[in-house]
Amino acid sequence: MKLRSLIISLALLASLGLGAREKYNFNSDWLLKVGDIPSAQKTSFNDKDWEKVTLPHAFNEDQAFKDNIKQHKGAIVWYRKHFVLPKEAKGQKVFIEFEGARQAAEVWVNGVNVGLHENGVMAFGFDLGPYVKPGKNVIAVRVDNNWRYAERSTGTSYQWNHTSFNANYGGLPKNVWLHVTG
């Protein structure tokens, strides 16, 4: 759903005094850069030369169809999205839902670390309420797509991180949703 529709829908909800739960497609207008970019989580970071993408997007999808699975490379990639939260959203709960990220995703909103998800295949989400504000916001997602990724807390690798299991579609290869509710 376009940003204009998001603003209109939130304004309508506010005017009616309804606390309905709204789910918005958050797939458009992302920016992508392959590599571990220092300071990319900062709101002021200059991302003007980054590739424009629409999710779902695997940064290595071309390679996945061209090369043998044993030649698929893992990498760290960054996704960023600039978005405007209308003033009518003030006081509302705001959640983000990722249907998946491969292998691990660390999320920042307006330069603040919101959380880390390590799994590679499962959906996950975060409460953005404490971090977003009416007006301009920036979300940054660092995705580590290393075939041998190991959980930070345990050092354990995932059993599906193997060339005998599946292609290593890296990045944010599934939908992202924004939920707004009273």
Side-chain angles (χ1 to χ4, degrees):
M1 184 173 281
K2 296 284 186 213
L3 179 60
R4 181 169 167 70
S5 298
L6 171 65
I7 293 169
I8 291 168
S9 296
L10 287 173
L12 179 61
L13 282 175
S15 69
L16 296 174
L18 299 177
R21 180 177 298 262
E22 295 292 325
K23 179 178 179 180
Y24 299 96
N25 184 313
F26 215 53
N27 287 337
S28 63
D29 302 321
W30 285 83
L31 302 169
L32 167 73
K33 190 73 158 184
V34 177
D36 200 4
I37 315 298
S39 302
Q41 76 277 12
K42 293 184 178 178
T43 304
S44 61
F45 183 83
N46 183 354
D47 55 20
K48 298 218 184 301
D49 67 336
W50 287 30
E51 178 185 357
K52 294 177 183 176
V53 297
T54 298
L55 304 181
H57 183 271
F59 79 91
N60 59 351
E61 61 190 21
D62 292 338
Q63 180 191 33
F65 287 101
K66 184 175 82 175
D67 298 334
N68 181 292
I69 195 169
K70 294 185 186 317
Q71 296 172 322
H72 293 186
K73 294 179 175 56
I76 293 174
V77 297
W78 281 87
Y79 290 84
R80 286 174 53 94
K81 181 178 177 78
H82 300 259
F83 65 101
V84 174
L85 197 62
K87 64 181 178 182
E88 291 81 10
K90 186 172 184 169
Q92 299 286 312
K93 293 283 191 178
V94 180
F95 301 94
I96 192 160
E97 173 191 3
F98 294 86
E99 288 184 351
R102 179 122 180 151
Q103 304 297 347
E106 197 161 4
V107 178
W108 288 264
V109 174
N110 297 325
V112 178
N113 188 294
V114 174
L116 169 69
H117 175 76
E118 299 174 301
N119 184 279
V121 295
M122 300 292 292
F124 64 99
F126 298 106
D127 177 359
L128 302 185
Y131 315 105
V132 293
K133 61 190 182 307
K136 295 179 182 178
N137 294 272
V138 178
I139 186 165
V141 183
R142 180 185 182 270
V143 182
D144 188 335
N145 188 50
N146 188 327
W147 273 106
R148 299 194 190 329
Y149 184 85
E151 288 182 337
R152 291 181 187 175
S153 62
T154 66
T156 304
S157 182
Y158 308 127
Q159 72 182 36
W160 56 83
N161 286 1
H162 194 277
T163 56
S164 296
F165 187 71
N166 62 7
N168 192 11
Y169 293 113
L172 297 175
K174 297 185 179 184
N175 292 306
V176 178
W177 303 95
L178 190 72
H179 300 269
V180 181
T181 186

